Amino acid sequence: MDLYGTTIYAVVSDNAASMIKMGKSVDVWHSNCSSHTANLLAKDVMNEDLTKCVKDILKEFKHSLYEKALVDIGGTRIVTPCEILVIELFEPICNLINFAQKYDSSLAEVAHLWLTVCLPQKFWDFQPVLERRKKMALNIYALVAYFLHPKYHDDANETLSTEIHTFLLHTLDAKGIADFHTFQEKVGIFQTLFKKHIEDPILFWDMTKVYHPNLSSLALRLQRIPASSAQIERLFSNWSFVHSPIRNRLEFERSKKLLHI
C-alpha cells in the first residue's frame, strides 16, 4: 500500500475487535501488539480474590514509616509470603511486557520470548490461558520473522516449521523458494555468515540480498516490524500535550517541531 509517499506493508495494532477486523480488510500484513497481548495475559491470571487478599495483608503489615525505620537500623524492607507468590507469578509476564515495549524490540525477538516464557509449576492451572495468549501473539508473521532470524533459526520445532513453510511457499516465487532452500541448508553466503556468527538480522540479510534478493527482501521486511504499538501510542500521548484543545489551531508542521524539541 502506497500512502503519503511511503510504502506500508505491515500494521501493528492492539487486539480490539475493530482492529482485528481492520487487519483482515486491508491488503497489508497485520500483527498483534505483543505488549497488549501480554497485558491481557496478566489480566487473565489476576485473580480478584487473591489480589484483594494481598492488598489487605500489605495494608495491614506494611507501612512506609515502619519500613524506613527498619532500614535505618540496618534491616530490610518487609516482604510477605503472599507478595513473593504474586511476584513469582507476574515476573515472567512483566519481563515480557517490558521487553515488548522497548523501542527497538523486533517481532522475532519477542516471538522468542513468547515461545520460551513459562509460569512456575505451582501456577500450572494458568497454562491453558498462557497457551491461548501465545497463540494470539505468535501470528504467522512473528513465526516467520523468528524462523528467518539467524540467532533463532535452529530453534523452530517441526510444528512451527510446517506453518512457516506454508507461508513461504505462498509468498515467494520459484527463485525465492530456491533461496530459502539454500538458507535452510546453510550453504553459499549463508554458510559464511553462520560460521562468522552474524546474529544481527538486518546485517545478516542485508549482506545476502545481492545473492538472494527475493528471500532477503522478505526477511528484511519481517525483521523491521516492531513488536508492539507502544511507541506510537506514547507519541500520540505526547502530541496531546502539544496540540491540546486550548491550542487547537496549531498547524501540523509547527506542532511536529514542538514535539521533537
Side-chain angles (χ1 to χ4, degrees):
M1 180 188 294
D2 291 323
L3 195 63
Y4 304 115
T6 302
T7 300
I8 300 172
Y9 64 86
V11 174
V12 180
S13 75
D14 60 33
N15 298 281
S18 58
M19 291 297 183
I20 300 298
K21 185 177 180 180
M22 175 277 300
K24 293 178 180 178
S25 64
V26 294
D27 188 25
V28 294
W29 296 342
H30 177 241
S31 181
N32 301 328
C33 172
S34 279
S35 174
H36 184 250
T37 307
N39 272 288
L40 291 176
L41 173 61
K43 188 176 180 180
D44 289 338
V45 301
M46 189 179 293
N47 183 287
E48 291 185 8
D49 293 334
L50 174 63
T51 305
K52 183 179 183 304
C53 180
V54 171
K55 285 182 177 179
D56 290 343
I57 293 173
L58 295 180
K59 184 178 179 181
E60 186 69 27
F61 289 96
K62 297 190 67 172
H63 192 284
S64 58
L65 293 178
Y66 300 156
E67 289 197 333
K68 184 178 184 304
L70 280 173
V71 173
D72 288 344
I73 62 174
T76 59
R77 60 181 290 271
I78 301 169
V79 180
T80 62
C82 65
E83 189 177 1
I84 295 172
L85 195 68
V86 171
I87 290 173
E88 286 181 358
L89 173 59
F90 283 100
E91 186 173 27
I93 302 174
C94 290
N95 289 339
L96 180 56
I97 293 171
N98 292 334
F99 188 84
Q101 288 185 350
K102 290 172 62 178
Y103 77 94
D104 58 348
S105 292
S106 69
L107 203 56
E109 291 170 323
V110 177
H112 174 69
L113 280 184
W114 273 108
L115 287 165
T116 55
V117 69
C118 60
L119 301 177
Q121 191 169 358
K122 65 181 74 173
F123 299 111
W124 272 24
D125 288 347
F126 294 119
Q127 195 63 27
V129 176
L130 174 60
E131 293 303 321
R132 180 161 57 90
R133 293 304 179 189
K134 271 188 180 182
K135 187 175 181 181
M136 179 183 291
L138 295 170
N139 56 64
I140 189 60
Y141 308 111
L143 291 176
V144 178
Y146 171 76
F147 188 75
L148 293 178
H149 194 295
K151 185 176 179 180
Y152 309 124
H153 169 66
D154 293 327
D155 297 337
N157 59 39
E158 188 175 340
T159 303
L160 295 181
S161 296
T162 302
E163 293 182 55
I164 293 163
H165 288 185
T166 302
F167 172 83
L168 292 173
L169 284 171
H170 283 87
T171 306
L172 294 170
D173 58 12
K175 177 65 169 62
I177 292 171
D179 292 345
F180 175 63
H181 178 72
T182 305
F183 170 69
Q184 281 193 295
E185 296 297 317
K186 296 182 180 179
V187 296
I189 183 66
F190 295 117
Q191 182 182 37
T192 303
L193 295 175
F194 277 118
K195 278 187 176 180
K196 291 183 179 293
H197 304 289
I198 306 297
E199 294 186 339
D200 181 333
I202 304 301
L203 175 61
F204 182 95
W205 287 106
D206 195 54
M207 294 184 72
T208 64
K209 64 184 180 184
V210 174
Y211 306 92
H212 307 286
N214 296 3
L215 181 61
S216 296
S217 175
L218 175 68
L220 284 169
R221 284 190 292 166
L222 287 165
Q223 299 303 330
R224 289 187 171 116
I225 298 176
S228 81
S229 57
Q231 284 300 110
I232 193 66
E233 289 176 12
R234 290 193 191 103
L235 180 63
F236 283 132
S237 295
N238 292 337
W239 202 307
S240 67
F241 292 115
V242 175
H243 198 283
S244 64
I246 297 175
R247 307 180 73 185
N248 61 4
R249 296 183 67 184
L250 196 64
E251 293 182 354
F252 170 76
E253 286 300 324
R254 184 163 180 79
S255 63
K256 183 179 176 182
K257 290 176 182 178
L258 288 170
L259 191 67
H260 285 83
I261 290 177

